[in-house]
Amino acid sequence: MRSILLVGSIGAGKTTFRQRLQGLPIEYAKTQAIETFASAIDTPGEYLEVGRYKHALMLASYDVEVVVLVQSATSDETRFPPGFATTFNREVLGVVTHAGVATEAQVHDAVDHLTRAGAHRIVAVDSVTGKGFKRVQEVLCRTSS
């Protein structure tokens, strides 16, 4: 699997997504600082939400092959500004989390948020059930962009 940087708001589901992707037990854990796990870098939601921390996301992206923008389908708003993906000189994948408990309209809105942010591909997943992870793995296991 290609190395990834997870970026998203507080509660977007970045850590749960990572745990499912790596085949680990799903356990709630609030990410307090940038954490590195095998091929994944997990970041606190505050790094996206607080402007003075965004530079840390850019620096962390230099160590990965793919930046994953994580947007919860159950959130009515987004912290990703239009064109945010251009911040990174990497492939940017959009992941809609909480798709299993969201309405179709909520998933559609989350996809729109990630599209405006500039994600190249967007996949909807449910990290608890594993729905959508086959597609995520296909994208992340490719050897070229």
Side-chain angles (χ1 to χ4, degrees):
M1 182 174 79
R2 296 186 294 161
S3 56
I4 62 172
L5 173 69
L6 298 169
V7 178
S9 296
I10 298 167
K14 298 176 298 296
T15 299
T16 306
F17 173 84
R18 177 190 55 78
Q19 291 170 342
R20 170 61 74 174
L21 189 62
Q22 295 179 323
L24 300 171
I26 304 297
E27 298 175 352
Y28 176 77
K30 169 69 179 104
T31 305
Q32 299 293 328
I34 291 179
E35 298 179 3
T36 303
F37 303 87
S39 60
I41 298 175
D42 196 353
T43 64
E46 290 84 357
Y47 279 49
L48 175 65
E49 296 185 14
V50 179
R52 67 179 180 263
Y53 294 132
K54 286 185 183 176
H55 71 282
L57 296 174
M58 290 184 345
L59 290 173
S61 74
Y62 295 137
D63 292 330
V64 300
E65 297 168 273
V66 181
V67 174
V68 179
L69 303 184
V70 180
Q71 173 70 44
S72 172
T74 58
S75 177
D76 293 333
E77 60 182 35
T78 187
R79 298 294 182 152
F80 296 118
F84 182 70
T86 61
T87 302
F88 308 101
N89 186 17
R90 301 285 181 266
E91 179 180 348
V92 177
L93 171 68
V95 170
V96 175
T97 55
H98 305 124
V101 295
T103 66
E104 209 173 299
Q106 287 175 309
V107 172
H108 182 268
D109 288 347
V111 168
D112 282 349
H113 292 314
L114 291 168
T115 299
R116 283 193 297 275
H120 298 145
R121 288 191 178 89
I122 300 170
V123 179
V125 302
D126 185 311
S127 297
V128 175
T129 66
K131 182 180 178 186
F133 275 82
K134 181 177 180 181
R135 180 67 185 131
V136 169
Q137 290 171 330
E138 289 170 1
V139 172
L140 293 180
C141 288
R142 289 184 303 110
T143 56
S144 62
S145 295

